[in-house]
Structures are given as structure tokens and as C-alpha cells.
Amino acid sequence: MSKKKIAISTGGGDAPGLNAVIRAITLAALNRGWECYGIRDGYNGIMMPEEFKQGGIIQLTRDRVRGITHLGGTIIGTTNRGNPLNYPVIGEDGQITEVDRTQELVDLFHQQGFDALISIGGDGSLAIANALSNKGLQVIGVPKTIDNDLDKTVVTFGFNSAVDFATEAIDRLHSTAESHRRIMVVEVMGRYAGWIALNAGVAGSADAILIPEIPYDINKVAQKIKMREANGRHFSIIVVAEGAIPIGGEVSVIGKSIGQAERLGGVGHKVGAALEALTGKESRTVVLGHLLRGGTPTAEDRLISLRFGAAAVRAIDEGASGVMVALDPPTVNYVPLEQATNRMKRVPLDCDTIMTARDLGVVFGD
Ligand code: F6P
């Protein structure tokens, strides 16, 4: 068995389970007699090491990864800025152009003596990973995102923890909603996919769930609330995905900054205000936002993360590259990064959870 030097990068928004993946990779590598390093803040640690007082590349030892399986966040940091595929550069005229810096990045990895890279990320990070692999670096991807919108894996790590937290929040809102006879609107993350809203909404017994895959008519939601009122149910719980869109309308966006994806948000307050006007009932909106990304991963997410991390090291050992480890129960297999990133996995309209929700009387606004 040849000794290898491998690198780990965590990119994009953090998700519960990142540290568990890092621990599994590190231990599986060390147990093979390899060396393992973490690149700080995505690829910033290798591309601009001068920015890091303690060094941009940190050696991951048994001590460094001890006791981190249950910790939220990532011990090596992450960023969703400075994508090396479209790196923003400000010219002398003040104009911003985007340049592809992936070849430079591959060269840096080779110069540092790395044999392979494990990239833990969502669609953006894994598209970069695919480009690096196409340019000759041995790269394995690990699917991370609370949004669960990555294709070719049954689930991404982080999703279960986000759904669990959102469900608990919805449970807690029931009593205050009922006490005050209010409409409680809960906005959850998920980008352009409704997985978190759908799963937490059904598990938390929401009355209406608005997801990007089913454009909504707010009047249909108001009708449901009025019907409940007529049946003596004086409160309602409405779960809204941040990417939900009214029929004929657009996704609600807070803003977009240079080199970043558009920031979704605001739909919960719009839905709350519209429902108040249509039903005459008081409403309150709760935006769960980044609370869904923080904190302890659930046992299920820890297990998936540890399995993904160990499988990524096995993939390197077997000489694979340009693949993502993917949950394919009962096993973890490898799928080409190309396939995993060329389409977003959205909620299928005929899936069992939607059918279940409809059977239970949940309204989607269609
Ligand atoms: O992709 C994960 C996610 O949490 C989305 O659900 C959300 O739209 C986005 O990241 C928010 O990212 P930021 O860290 O830029 O606020």
C-alpha cells in the first residue's frame, strides 16, 4: 500500500455532520498510514495562504479530530465566495470579470505534494471538484447540504438534522398559535427545492406547505384557514420554503453580492401579511434561517457522515476519481460527479410524502 498525502476541503454553506465526515476521513487515512490535511475556508487556504496566521493548510492528526463527531460547523472553515470556476477579478477600470482559476488550483495541489482531494460540498463545490478532476487531480466528492437537492444520492448529510430542528420548531409553535388563535407562518431554508419544508411540514402537522415545486395561490391557503375556523380550529400552521413562488410570480430575493448566489428570503412575511388580509386573523412569521444549519447533527446524520467519509477514503484507495460517494441503501456507492451535478434534485410532485400530505388534508396552494 503506497503512502498517500490527502487534502480535505469543505465548501459552501455549512451543514451538521461536516466534522463527522472530517473525522472519518482523517482516521481512515491515518489508519492506512497516510497523511491528511485540511484546507482552510474552501480553497482560500491553498490559494491565499498569507491570509491565515496559523497557515492555510492544517495537518489533521488524531488529536485534532478527537471528539468532533457531534459538533456543528467545520473545524477547517468554509466559504461560499470566490468560486475558482468563476473567480471575480476587479480590473484597473473597476470592472469585474470572472476567470477560471481551476488549473492554477490543480497545480497548487500538485506543488504541495497532494495525491488526492476530498471535496465536501453541495452542487457548487462538487462542480468545482469535477473540474479539478477533469484537470488531472484525483478528487472524490462528498454530498453535503441541508437542502437535500443533490442528485444521485438518496440523501445528503445535514438534511436530517435540519428537518428534525424544523419539526421541533413547528411543534413548539402549535401551542402558542392555539393560545392566541393566530396563523403562524414558518419559513425554512432549502433554496429552489422544498425538501425541508415538505418533510418538516408533514412531520410537524402543518395545515399548509408551500414549496417551490408547486406554485401557490394564496387564496387556496386562506380558504383552508377559514375552513378550519368554521370547524372550530382557530389557529393554523403554514410552512413556507424560502424558494416558494406564487402562481405567475417570482421567487423572493433579499439580494445578491459579488461572486455569490442570490440570497432567498422574505416570502414568509409576504405570505403572513397576505393571509392576515384575506382571513382577518392575526399572523406571525418565524424565519428559521441559519438555525437549521447550526448545532449538533442527529444520530442519523452522524452515521451517514461517518459512512461517507470512510467511503471517500476507500474510493481513493481503489484509485477512483471524479466520483461522489452516494447513499444507495443498504450501501454507499460511487457516482460520477458529472451526473450528480448536472441537475438539481427537486421534490417529485407524485412522491409518496406529497400524496400522504394531500391524503391528510394538507394544502399546497394549488
Ligand atoms: O444551501 C444551503 C443554504 O443554507 C440554503 O438553504 C440557503 O438559501 C443558503 O444556503 C444561505 O446561504 P448563506 O450562507 O449565504 O446565507
Side-chain angles (χ1 to χ4, degrees):
M1 190 192 308
S2 68
K3 182 171 172 166
K4 288 187 187 291
K5 177 176 172 179
I6 68 168
I8 306 175
S9 160
T10 54
D14 64 348
L18 275 168
N19 283 324
V21 182
I22 293 171
R23 177 166 167 269
I25 294 171
T26 304
L27 295 183
L30 297 182
N31 288 338
R32 282 171 168 77
W34 301 356
E35 283 178 17
C36 188
Y37 294 81
I39 311 296
R40 299 290 307 275
D41 297 8
Y43 296 110
N44 289 349
I46 194 164
M47 292 177 85
M48 38 181 127
E50 66 285 354
E51 303 278 314
F52 299 86
K53 280 206 183 83
Q54 323 286 333
I57 301 174
I58 52 173
Q59 183 158 17
L60 296 171
T61 58
R62 285 179 202 279
D63 269 354
R64 270 222 153 100
V65 300
R66 179 168 297 145
I68 64 168
T69 300
H70 66 291
L71 295 183
T74 158
I75 60 164
I76 56 175
T78 186
T79 178
N80 45 18
R81 284 169 182 266
N83 181 341
L85 275 170
N86 319 95
Y87 199 88
V89 177
I90 306 175
E92 280 171 13
D93 55 358
Q95 293 283 3
I96 296 167
T97 46
E98 291 182 337
V99 295
D100 181 348
R101 293 184 64 184
T102 50
Q103 185 58 57
E104 183 187 333
L105 193 49
V106 169
D107 295 343
L108 284 169
F109 274 106
H110 286 146
Q111 279 162 27
Q112 294 282 345
F114 285 112
D115 298 296
L117 164 72
I118 296 177
S119 162
I120 313 170
D123 57 350
S125 308
L126 296 183
I128 299 165
N130 192 35
L132 300 179
S133 156
N134 289 338
K135 292 194 162 77
L137 186 66
Q138 186 182 8
V139 185
I140 307 296
V142 176
K144 165 238 67 173
T145 167
I146 63 163
D147 305 337
N148 195 35
D149 59 356
L150 264 169
D151 205 14
K152 303 291 172 201
T153 180
V154 164
V155 79
T156 54
F157 77 83
F159 174 64
N160 183 264
S161 306
V163 170
D164 225 47
F165 182 84
T167 305
E168 194 196 329
I170 298 165
D171 286 348
R172 284 169 178 259
L173 290 171
H174 269 84
S175 55
T176 176
E178 189 159 16
S179 307
H180 288 265
R181 299 186 165 210
R182 281 174 175 156
I183 302 166
M184 295 300 302
V185 177
V186 189
E187 182 186 308
V188 297
M189 281 186 170
R191 274 203 313 179
Y192 308 105
W195 294 105
I196 299 176
L198 177 65
N199 285 27
V202 173
S205 305
D207 303 296
I209 302 172
L210 306 182
I211 59 173
E213 292 84 350
I214 307 178
Y216 65 86
D217 173 354
I218 198 70
N219 294 296
K220 299 273 176 60
V221 183
Q223 264 167 30
K224 167 79 180 178
I225 294 168
K226 286 182 187 161
M227 200 178 79
R228 280 175 56 78
E229 196 70 28
N231 291 332
R233 299 272 189 273
H234 302 293
F235 72 98
S236 290
I237 306 281
I238 317 298
V239 176
V240 185
E242 63 178 357
I245 328 169
I247 293 172
E250 301 217 328
V251 78
S252 183
V253 174
I254 295 173
K256 182 178 183 338
S257 37
I258 300 161
Q260 279 192 300
E262 61 184 0
R263 284 182 60 206
L264 305 186
V267 66
H269 286 284
K270 290 179 188 164
V271 165
L275 290 176
E276 208 168 86
L278 288 168
T279 64
K281 287 185 70 65
E282 210 180 3
S283 86
R284 292 287 186 273
T285 295
V286 176
V287 179
L288 295 183
H290 295 81
L291 288 169
L292 296 167
R293 293 219 313 238
T296 302
T298 56
E300 185 169 325
D301 265 338
R302 293 182 204 186
L303 191 57
I304 296 171
S305 302
L306 295 169
R307 291 176 67 195
F308 278 169
V313 173
R314 288 198 300 273
I316 292 178
D317 213 356
E318 290 162 21
S321 184
V323 296
M324 176 185 88
V325 296
L327 191 67
D328 183 13
T331 193
V332 171
N333 65 11
Y334 317 145
V335 296
L337 277 168
E338 193 81 54
Q339 282 178 21
T341 53
N342 69 10
R343 113 187 158 114
M344 187 191 304
K345 185 177 74 183
R346 303 183 87 203
V347 176
L349 300 185
D350 58 352
C351 72
D352 188 72
T353 313
I354 289 199
M355 290 197 297
T356 301
R358 290 195 195 277
D359 282 337
L360 298 178
V362 177
V363 161
F364 287 93
D366 57 343

